[in-house]
Amino acid sequence: MASLATSTLVYSTPVRIKTSSKPGSSSRNCKKTVPFPVTRADSSSLLLDAAKYTVDKHIQSGMVVGLGSGQASGMAIQYLGRLLRAGALKDVVGVPMSVTSASEAAKAGIPLDVYQDSSQIDFAFDDADIIEEETLAAIIGRQKSQADESIIQEKSILSAAKKLVFMITGNKYMGSLEGSIPVLVQALNWMETAEEIDDLFLGDAEV
């Protein structure tokens, strides 16, 4: 488990704000829970507004920022780059979660650093495949076309961040998790892990 941190979920559908416990990331969760606001916008076109809000609200000069992957994250990266070029923010360093986010950040003019286990991440933003309504657990990796190594790095950066934001559309905010849940195993003996997962779900898991 990562250390306790504050998180915000920003996504699009009719406007509403509520307080609940913080989501995790990866297969089920990435962090412990604390209260956080949930902000809803009106349509997918306002996903850009969610991206801008995330940058304006949470990123300050001098921060080390984890740069996520996905549509909203790409918008946030571009907007962050514009603020840096305009001088509204200074000395922000980005730590990309994938090759795609690294490329987008480089084009936007964001200084980059490579993630290491000792990296200190002040803030991170990312897209998510699904947020479970009751637990606010976040699933990432279900729709990724990137290499497994990038997904592992994405999860590591989210875990390391002191504070994180998930930006999603309203249809990804669900009452219950359905379908596949991606599980990455950094081990040669993957069969043992598969059996543990099968036991955990009482035979209902299809590994």
Side-chain angles (χ1 to χ4, degrees):
M1 277 292 181
S3 59
L4 191 66
T6 303
S7 174
T8 302
L9 169 66
V10 180
Y11 63 100
S12 58
T13 163
V15 175
R16 186 179 80 173
I17 297 177
K18 76 174 186 179
T19 299
S20 185
S21 55
K22 113 181 249 305
S25 64
S26 73
S27 300
R28 286 292 296 180
N29 53 26
C30 175
K31 302 185 181 210
K32 299 177 182 178
T33 57
V34 295
F36 77 101
V38 175
T39 305
R40 296 184 177 182
D42 192 14
S43 70
S44 59
S45 64
L46 292 182
L47 202 57
L48 175 59
D49 290 339
K52 289 181 177 180
Y53 173 85
T54 296
V55 174
D56 290 336
K57 177 73 174 179
H58 299 287
I59 299 180
Q60 300 176 1
S61 294
M63 277 189 168
V64 177
V65 179
L67 308 176
S69 299
Q71 182 182 7
S73 293
M75 294 175 178
I77 289 171
Q78 293 175 17
Y79 180 61
L80 175 59
R82 288 200 296 271
L83 293 181
L84 287 170
R85 293 193 300 272
L89 290 173
K90 297 180 180 179
D91 302 322
V92 173
V93 176
V95 180
M97 299 184 193
S98 68
V99 173
T100 300
S101 57
S103 176
E104 291 175 340
K107 292 177 182 178
I110 300 174
L112 298 178
D113 195 7
V114 177
Y115 175 75
Q116 300 177 353
D117 291 340
S118 59
S119 297
Q120 300 293 317
I121 311 295
D122 298 305
F123 173 73
F125 58 78
D126 199 8
D127 291 48
D129 297 320
I130 291 176
I131 301 288
E132 188 175 37
E133 190 169 347
E134 182 177 354
T135 65
L136 298 175
I139 291 181
I140 62 172
R142 179 180 287 183
Q143 302 175 14
K144 302 292 185 184
S145 59
Q146 61 204 48
D148 288 351
E149 291 79 5
S150 293
I151 301 175
I152 292 172
Q153 177 165 301
E154 181 178 10
K155 293 167 66 176
S156 299
I157 292 173
L158 291 174
S159 296
K162 297 176 183 177
K163 187 175 184 180
L164 68 90
V165 164
F166 288 106
M167 299 171 291
I168 64 172
T169 53
N171 62 347
K172 295 182 179 180
Y173 188 61
M174 303 181 66
S176 62
L177 299 180
E178 298 178 352
S180 63
I181 296 178
V183 178
L184 298 177
V185 181
Q186 289 183 292
L188 294 176
N189 190 12
W190 66 270
M191 282 294 295
E192 181 178 339
T193 302
E195 290 173 359
E196 290 178 359
I197 293 173
D198 190 60
D199 292 341
L200 180 65
F201 289 95
L202 301 177
D204 291 334
E206 192 172 309
V207 181

